[in-house]
Amino acid sequence: MDGNHNSSTPGTGRAEPLKKQASSAVEISQITGAQLAGSNDPGAPDVHSKFGSRLLSAEQDVFEHNAWDHVEPDDEYLEYAEQQIRMHHEHPVPTEKQEFYNNTPAAFWNSFYNNNQNKFFKDRHWLRIEFAELFEWTTDRKSASEGHADAGTVKEDVHLADSSDSAVSKSRGVAVASALSSDPSDAKFRIMEVGCGAGNAVFPLLADVSDPRLFVYACDYSKVAVDVVKSGEAYDENRCAALVWDLSSTELPPNVQPGSIDIMLMVFVFSALHPSQWNQAVENAYRLLKPGGLLLFRDYGRNDLAQVRFKKSRLLEDNLYIRGDGTRVYFFTNDELADIFGTKFEIEQNAIDRRLIVNRKRELKMYRVWLQAKFRKPISAD
């Protein structure tokens, strides 16, 4: 599972007036994005340029570049979005089909990976910059010898819009402390990716970090995806274990001890769950992480173009949709993330990443919205 939409009044089926969420160019971190067209991982930042570095100061310049950062949607888009969301509620998924989609999500992801194998998503090398905690715990990595900035340097300069009061600087070094403060007989630094898909995050991580303490768990509830990872040339059972596991299960993954994970990664994964599964998923993440462990999160934001452009008979519930291939996707707000994760975790980052993607030839404007967050299990947790 590796899934990579506008507000409505719950239960009424009516579109609620759209409100612009605040975007702060001052508080946003690292990287501009890939084109919606031409990228098979539309939420992936471009590792070659700083997120937040291209600001649109004059509307007449909008078609001078392919992408702009922190651009609020214009009135034309907001009107279009309201019309679309109203249409979604007027023409939802037929009632008799809703149970089918909700009861067999893994089957649709199995079909997806049967069709695409490892050819759909690009390797997520951008994680090194956006989620540097995955790498900064060790200097035994290629990116360090190649002169890439350490995470502490990068994050100290600018950071994503943060809706919490927690100091972002607190994240520097705490992931390392989590590992160093553990039992000396257990020297491993354990990272778990939930929703690993075909290994587009796991394999770049293993290729970059050569520190023998690293061990990566790659989990997905699609058996086909897990088989794809296991068949990868870089798969090494001494450094990685690929497991079939549903994040919303009442059981933890096999052979993974509670409180043993230093960092957990969820990239375009939580949105594939039904809202009724969120609490269990959060509980599982909390149980698996060490005290002081970190959950790194990136997913779809409310009113993203991917939500707005859905056609009839795709809405399952408020902000929960079915794609053409049968996979589910939910579109979040920052407030929802705070409510979902804030009961268990300290919120170090709860950010919004707005990107205006431009088709210069056709003079089209496409507004993308992603949320990025970092949740810390309290160091004092049992």
Side-chain angles (χ1 to χ4, degrees):
M1 177 178 63
D2 187 351
N4 236 26
H5 244 340
N6 185 333
S7 301
S8 63
T9 304
T12 66
R14 298 193 303 272
E16 160 183 289
L18 293 171
K19 297 179 180 180
K20 296 182 180 180
Q21 296 185 17
S23 170
S24 171
V26 176
E27 294 185 323
I28 294 199
S29 125
Q30 271 113 326
I31 340 184
T32 60
Q35 287 265 28
L36 176 62
S39 171
N40 53 19
D41 191 357
D46 176 4
V47 300
H48 298 296
S49 56
K50 293 285 187 179
F51 174 50
S53 64
R54 182 168 288 157
L55 304 180
L56 180 63
S57 57
E59 180 62 28
Q60 62 266 27
D61 296 333
V62 67
F63 297 112
E64 294 297 314
H65 296 284
N66 294 327
W68 301 91
D69 300 303
H70 323 320
V71 179
E72 296 280 353
D74 59 22
D75 291 340
E76 181 180 3
Y77 179 81
L78 292 176
E79 182 178 355
Y80 167 68
E82 283 198 68
Q83 292 173 354
Q84 286 293 103
I85 300 303
R86 188 177 300 112
M87 180 270 288
H88 296 163
H89 281 273
E90 292 171 351
H91 303 278
V93 173
T95 304
E96 63 273 16
K97 292 186 177 181
Q98 292 181 12
E99 186 175 352
F100 169 66
Y101 287 119
N102 283 326
N103 289 347
T104 58
F108 291 108
W109 284 106
N110 280 334
S111 177
F112 174 89
Y113 285 107
N114 270 323
N115 293 330
N116 296 286
Q117 295 291 302
N118 62 353
K119 298 178 176 63
F120 190 82
F121 298 108
K122 293 181 179 179
D123 282 350
R124 289 169 169 163
H125 297 288
W126 54 269
L127 292 171
R128 187 179 63 229
I129 301 175
E130 202 61 59
F131 290 141
E133 293 89 347
L134 293 166
F135 305 85
E136 69 178 354
W137 61 274
T138 177
T139 57
D140 194 357
R141 64 184 194 273
K142 291 180 181 178
S143 55
S145 62
E146 291 168 359
H148 294 289
D150 284 340
T153 304
V154 174
K155 287 189 291 185
E156 202 166 84
D157 293 337
V158 283
H159 55 274
L160 277 159
D162 195 336
S163 65
S164 75
D165 293 329
S166 300
V168 173
S169 60
K170 185 168 63 175
S171 66
R172 291 184 57 197
V174 178
V176 181
S178 172
L180 296 179
S181 62
S182 61
D183 186 341
S185 66
D186 180 12
K188 291 295 185 183
F189 190 92
R190 294 181 176 88
I191 294 174
M192 173 179 285
E193 183 182 16
V194 182
C196 65
N200 300 97
V202 169
F203 289 136
L205 175 62
L206 290 171
D208 187 50
V209 178
S210 53
D211 193 313
R213 293 173 296 173
L214 174 65
F215 193 87
V216 180
Y217 293 100
C219 302
D220 204 291
Y221 69 13
S222 166
K223 182 180 183 302
V224 177
V226 171
D227 288 342
V228 170
V229 173
K230 288 183 175 181
S231 66
E233 185 177 338
Y235 185 71
D236 179 355
E237 290 186 348
N238 294 315
R239 306 186 68 211
C240 179
L243 309 169
V244 177
W245 181 59
D246 182 349
L247 174 61
S248 64
S249 171
T250 55
E251 297 181 358
L252 296 183
N255 302 318
V256 183
Q257 294 300 312
S260 65
I261 303 301
D262 292 282
I263 298 178
M264 182 176 290
L265 180 65
M266 294 185 191
V267 177
F268 298 105
V269 170
F270 214 80
S271 54
L273 299 178
H274 187 276
S276 64
Q277 300 174 309
W278 292 345
N279 287 342
Q280 184 64 55
V282 171
E283 176 66 23
N284 288 341
Y286 183 87
R287 289 180 62 196
L288 285 166
L289 283 164
K290 292 179 179 179
L294 185 63
L295 170 57
L296 303 175
F297 179 101
R298 186 173 175 90
D299 222 315
Y300 291 102
R302 190 71 49 83
N303 300 331
D304 176 50
L305 178 66
Q307 176 183 15
V308 172
R309 68 181 180 179
F310 270 113
K311 300 186 184 301
K312 295 179 180 179
S313 303
R314 294 296 178 193
L315 181 72
L316 272 174
E317 299 178 18
D318 290 331
N319 305 302
L320 179 67
Y321 292 78
I322 288 294
R323 299 185 181 95
D325 59 10
T327 59
R328 293 182 305 207
V329 58
Y330 188 91
F331 297 83
F332 296 94
T333 66
N334 294 106
D335 287 343
E336 282 180 325
L337 293 187
D339 290 340
I340 295 166
F341 290 92
T343 57
K344 288 281 189 179
F345 292 90
E346 297 171 354
I347 301 175
E348 293 193 356
Q349 183 186 70
N350 188 2
I352 188 164
D353 175 358
R354 292 189 181 275
R355 201 78 45 80
L356 172 59
I357 310 296
V358 173
N359 184 317
R360 298 161 72 183
K361 183 176 181 179
R362 299 173 61 191
E363 295 194 350
L364 296 177
K365 294 187 288 185
M366 298 166 281
Y367 293 91
R368 304 308 312 271
V369 184
W370 301 289
L371 302 187
Q372 184 165 303
K374 299 179 182 181
F375 305 112
R376 179 82 62 186
K377 182 174 178 177
I379 193 71
S380 59
D382 295 331

